[in-house]
Amino acid sequence: MIRHLIEQRLHAAVAAVLPDADLTSVLVRSCEPKFGDYQTNALMSLAKQRKLNPRQLATDVMAKLDVTGLCEPPEIAGAAFINFRLKAEALAGLLQGAARGEHLFFRKAATPRTIVIDFSSPNVAKPMHVGHIRSTILGDALARAFRLLGHRVVTDNHIGDWGTQFGMLLIGWKRELDAPALAADPIGEMERLYKKLSAECKADPAKLEAARAELVKLQRGDAENLAIWREMQRLSQVQFDTIYARLGVKFDVALGESFYNPRLQATVDDLVAKGLARESEGAKAIFSDDSLPPKDDPFKTQRDGEWHANPALVQKNDGGFNYATTDLATLAYRMETWSPDEIIYVTDGRQQLHFRQIFAAFRRWRADAKVRLEHVWFGSILGEDGKPFKTRSGDTVKLADLLDEAEERALKVVTDKNPNLPEGERREIARIVGLGAVKYADLLPNRQTDYVFSWDKLLALQGNTAPYLQYASTRIQSIFRKATEAGVSLDPSAAIRLGAPEELALAKHLLNFGFVLEMVAEECRPNYLCNYLYELAGHFTRFYEACPVLKAAEPERSTRLRLCELAGRVLRQGLDVLGIGTPEQM
RNA sequence: GCGCCCGUAGCUCAACUGGAUAGAGCUCCUGACUUCGAAUCAGGCGGUUACAGGUUCAAAUCCUGUCGGGCGCACCA
């Protein structure tokens, strides 16, 4: 907020000196405290483009620069930095505005966008496992961030409820279903059937053919197969609902792959009619239109020094459809239904080529669509040995087990630290802390790095972790409990006078909340928010160690109570964006 | 073979349009609880940002090449 104000004043000054300058690259950023609170380095590149003396340009801009009311007189430093130091009254004024409930250091987007977010996408008849947590948690955090900033968000769970695996599952269900096992553990039994039949089909072509036949029957609407398929869906949905309820993740819609099944033939027909797709080796595929240089063309690949076609298949030679078809039909449906400004796909990085092809194909298919398509990808999940987790035949860690263990471990710590709390409360705290630890560990690293799965790391409760942030929050709550006991209350009109360096550092950090939220939304990287909140908790804790609150005399006490209250609100709001709760005590 | 991504402290990771002396956590060492919650704080150890060139006032960041690793590349999703 204040950053935007300084930026506006800077833009006015730069425009006065260089009327034709591109102001979009004239930015203000925060900087090291020894230089000030904010700085701009834009004048150096501007001077370079125009072959001006940078220091002279800075001097000229300074002459036109009016930051009265916001900052102390700015300084030129280094090659041609301009350093800004906030005026104490401006800082106090912002805190007072927040105290009156006018803002919480961020502002809503000036032009709200409609954003569809496609994430999680588990498969029917399979257990949700660690492979689903990144997409689910990342997608949910992004949805929350966009919503907080005032955008219209549609979260859509594109469930894997259609496809070749059902041929095998149907055979298994008909021939080898263990009904008591299904009743006791539906997902486990369906998984057993899938694994068994998958292995058998690999070894026996006749069985594979039988599976295909069952699939074709299903796709043609065979009543028995449809009924079984619906039962598998229903049983899976129970599992999804349970997991999402535990995670606190909600979807606006859950239109699985099967929803688009009736549209696939028309999609392919239209692609063929428009000349995007054509027959090739018995299949139908989308080829390059040669509009891009081969290097950037997702429909080309190089072999032995020559460029070859790398088409996207939309119909198999047996007439079946595949995921490119479904994704294009889905894209068309989403455009018709929500007219979004942006569609975000949260999947792992192995699908990069696929989405490049889908996006490129869609651009040609619907040339007038103004939608921004974004593949927000993340790294693979690795075992502790650094090798990828097996998804088909090897053992995977089930998400439900992971959450159970997180809560158990958290309960041990809570019981250790706070044995006097009733068990029910300890369990509720352990639920919030354990779940928060899992989510935070997942959101903290840059999403594009590979994810090394480790119980100890996921559930560590020390250092840069959710429990550290939650602990800071409970200390703040504790102050207010004590304040209430002592009959001290927060006066919204009390003056704010910041003096101690710890008070100033904390107060100034609060101002950056909005900028960080905007960065998270712009780059779809919640780890920026994790780091911001970790720093916030650090600033608060240092303030807490150095500055007594309740024992201080006025006016310090009011100022410090206010700082506690605002820090607590930003901390809780930030954690809420990450989908992480904050207990009163822990 | 081609493409995408990655290589930063012993380990796991940060580093905001290229910005000023590359920062945290874990580990190890030293201190701080009769004072608002020590799941904490203060301090210390630890770096040729894989390597070699280039671009410029300025490079972990951009360009070229080399080495090393992960992933993808026609009917699975």
Side-chain angles (χ1 to χ4, degrees):
Chain A
M1 293 176 57
I2 186 97
R3 186 192 296 242
H4 290 296
L5 292 176
I6 297 171
E7 217 163 74
Q8 279 171 19
R9 308 275 183 101
L10 179 64
H11 284 184
V14 171
V17 177
L18 302 170
D20 59 337
D22 173 18
L23 295 178
T24 58
S25 64
V26 177
L27 302 174
V28 168
R29 45 178 281 157
S30 52
C31 68
E32 291 182 58
K34 65 178 177 181
F35 296 123
D37 299 318
Y38 299 96
Q39 69 174 205
T40 183
N41 54 45
L43 301 183
M44 289 176 278
S45 54
L46 274 181
K48 177 160 182 63
Q49 286 160 20
R50 286 143 206 273
K51 298 193 165 46
L52 299 170
N53 178 313
R55 294 282 299 203
Q56 184 57 49
L57 177 62
T59 308
D60 295 345
V61 169
M62 280 279 280
K64 301 281 186 187
L65 182 59
D66 177 12
V67 286
T68 315
L70 302 176
C71 303
E72 304 296 341
E75 290 162 11
I76 302 175
F81 294 96
I82 295 182
N83 293 334
F84 301 91
R85 209 171 283 275
L86 284 182
K87 219 167 209 163
E89 304 89 85
L91 180 56
L94 277 160
L95 297 186
Q96 246 139 6
R100 288 190 297 265
E102 291 164 13
H103 63 79
L104 194 61
F105 309 106
F106 67 92
R107 58 180 192 185
K108 302 270 183 187
T111 49
R113 304 196 303 274
T114 299
I115 303 167
V116 175
I117 309 183
D118 177 325
F119 65 99
S120 197
S121 310
N123 292 315
V124 163
K126 288 185 191 171
M128 288 185 76
H129 55 83
V130 287
H132 295 110
I133 62 178
R134 286 201 107 170
S135 177
T136 307
I137 291 171
L138 185 56
D140 182 55
L142 293 176
R144 289 165 181 264
F146 283 120
R147 286 204 170 108
L148 187 64
L149 290 172
H151 298 292
R152 295 175 289 268
V153 174
V154 179
T155 50
D156 186 1
N157 195 358
H158 196 65
I159 293 168
D161 60 2
W162 199 252
T164 47
Q165 75 268 29
F166 286 102
M168 293 182 263
L169 277 165
L170 281 163
I171 296 187
W173 186 284
K174 288 179 181 179
R175 297 186 191 170
E176 331 206 1
L177 184 66
D178 179 345
L182 187 76
D185 175 12
I187 301 297
E189 173 61 8
M190 288 191 283
E191 189 192 21
R192 183 187 72 82
L193 292 176
Y194 175 75
K195 277 186 182 169
K196 187 158 189 294
L197 270 294
S198 173
E200 288 178 12
C201 287
K202 221 175 228 171
D204 181 0
K207 208 140 206 175
L208 185 62
E209 200 42 56
R212 283 209 178 121
E214 291 292 347
L215 182 66
V216 170
K217 274 174 72 182
L218 172 67
Q219 289 172 339
R220 290 192 180 147
D222 174 80
E224 185 191 7
N225 281 9
L226 262 181
I228 296 173
W229 172 71
R230 288 208 180 97
E231 179 64 5
M232 290 193 278
Q233 261 192 313
R234 191 189 64 78
L235 293 169
S236 298
Q237 193 60 46
V238 172
Q239 177 210 201
F240 300 154
D241 291 344
T242 307
I243 296 269
Y244 292 135
R246 289 184 78 176
L247 290 173
V249 173
K250 288 183 186 136
F251 291 92
D252 298 307
V253 288
L255 300 176
E257 291 168 3
S258 65
F259 176 82
Y260 299 96
N261 194 45
R263 299 161 181 269
L264 299 183
Q265 187 62 58
T267 299
V268 171
D269 291 347
D270 195 41
L271 290 168
V272 171
K274 294 218 163 71
L276 266 80
R278 60 178 164 82
E279 206 195 303
S280 167
E281 299 174 28
K284 293 197 174 92
I286 300 175
F287 288 83
S288 169
D289 65 352
D290 295 313
S291 64
L292 289 168
K295 195 169 69 71
D296 302 322
D297 193 329
F299 300 103
K300 281 187 182 168
T301 185
Q302 200 180 55
R303 221 170 346 207
D304 306 324
E306 285 187 40
W307 290 101
H308 290 75
N310 184 38
L313 265 70
V314 292
Q315 187 160 24
K316 300 189 273 188
N317 58 15
D318 65 0
F321 305 103
N322 50 18
Y323 74 145
T325 330
T326 313
D327 277 351
L328 283 169
T330 304
L331 204 33
Y333 176 84
R334 286 172 177 165
M335 292 305 293
E336 288 158 22
T337 308
W338 297 296
S339 302
D341 302 288
E342 188 169 351
I343 303 177
I344 292 172
Y345 296 82
V346 186
T347 83
D348 72 81
R350 288 175 297 194
Q351 300 186 40
Q352 284 177 87
L353 177 62
H354 167 68
F355 281 108
R356 282 182 61 214
Q357 290 188 326
I358 293 297
F359 294 170
F362 183 76
R363 294 289 174 211
R364 281 198 262 155
W365 191 26
R366 298 287 154 87
D368 54 338
K370 291 276 189 292
V371 65
R372 173 175 164 186
L373 300 172
E374 199 156 0
H375 182 208
V376 172
W377 60 269
F378 51 84
S380 315
I381 301 197
L382 308 176
E384 302 236 38
D385 57 356
K387 291 180 179 166
F389 264 28
K390 289 178 183 169
T391 49
R392 286 289 149 102
S393 46
D395 284 343
T396 57
V397 177
K398 294 182 175 65
L399 201 37
D401 295 343
L402 173 82
L403 299 180
D404 287 346
E405 181 151 357
E407 291 183 19
E408 274 168 38
R409 292 197 183 209
L411 182 61
K412 276 191 194 133
V413 181
V414 175
T415 303
D416 190 42
K417 300 282 177 187
N418 243 330
N420 297 328
L421 287 173
E423 191 189 334
E425 275 183 49
R426 290 202 314 268
R427 287 200 178 277
E428 175 59 8
I429 292 164
R431 191 187 67 77
I432 298 172
V433 171
L435 189 64
V438 169
K439 288 190 177 185
Y440 192 83
D442 196 63
L443 291 167
L444 179 61
N446 179 329
R447 61 180 160 81
Q448 288 174 334
T449 57
D450 284 345
Y451 188 102
V452 177
F453 175 79
S454 147
W455 287 109
D456 288 340
K457 264 183 204 106
L458 269 168
L459 303 172
L461 307 181
Q462 276 97 34
N464 188 356
T465 63
Y468 175 83
L469 306 181
Q470 290 165 326
Y471 181 62
S473 168
T474 59
R475 284 169 130 187
I476 295 172
Q477 306 285 10
S478 178
I479 286 177
F480 283 98
R481 276 198 300 275
K482 288 256 168 20
T484 306
E485 285 168 20
V488 176
S489 62
L490 204 52
D491 176 4
S493 61
I496 291 176
R497 295 216 185 83
L498 301 162
E502 291 85 2
E503 294 173 335
L504 282 164
L506 175 59
K508 287 173 178 178
H509 193 70
L510 291 173
L511 305 190
N512 290 332
F513 186 45
F515 176 74
V516 170
L517 287 174
E518 286 168 21
M519 291 285 292
V520 168
E522 177 57 33
E523 295 188 28
C524 297
R525 292 184 190 277
N527 59 309
Y528 294 155
L529 181 56
C530 295
N531 286 311
Y532 170 83
L533 294 174
Y534 178 66
E535 285 164 16
L536 174 62
H539 281 299
F540 171 77
T541 309
R542 285 187 284 278
F543 155 81
Y544 179 89
E545 301 270 339
C547 305
V549 179
L550 296 173
K551 287 173 186 143
E554 292 294 355
E556 280 86 5
R557 189 171 71 181
S558 287
T559 294
R560 289 173 182 177
L561 262 178
R562 179 56 68 191
L563 276 174
C564 289
E565 189 258 346
L566 293 174
R569 273 167 61 197
V570 171
L571 194 51
R572 286 191 299 275
Q573 178 75 77
L575 283 170
D576 184 68
V577 167
L578 301 176
I580 296 172
T582 40
E584 286 284 318
Q585 303 178 57
M586 61 190 279

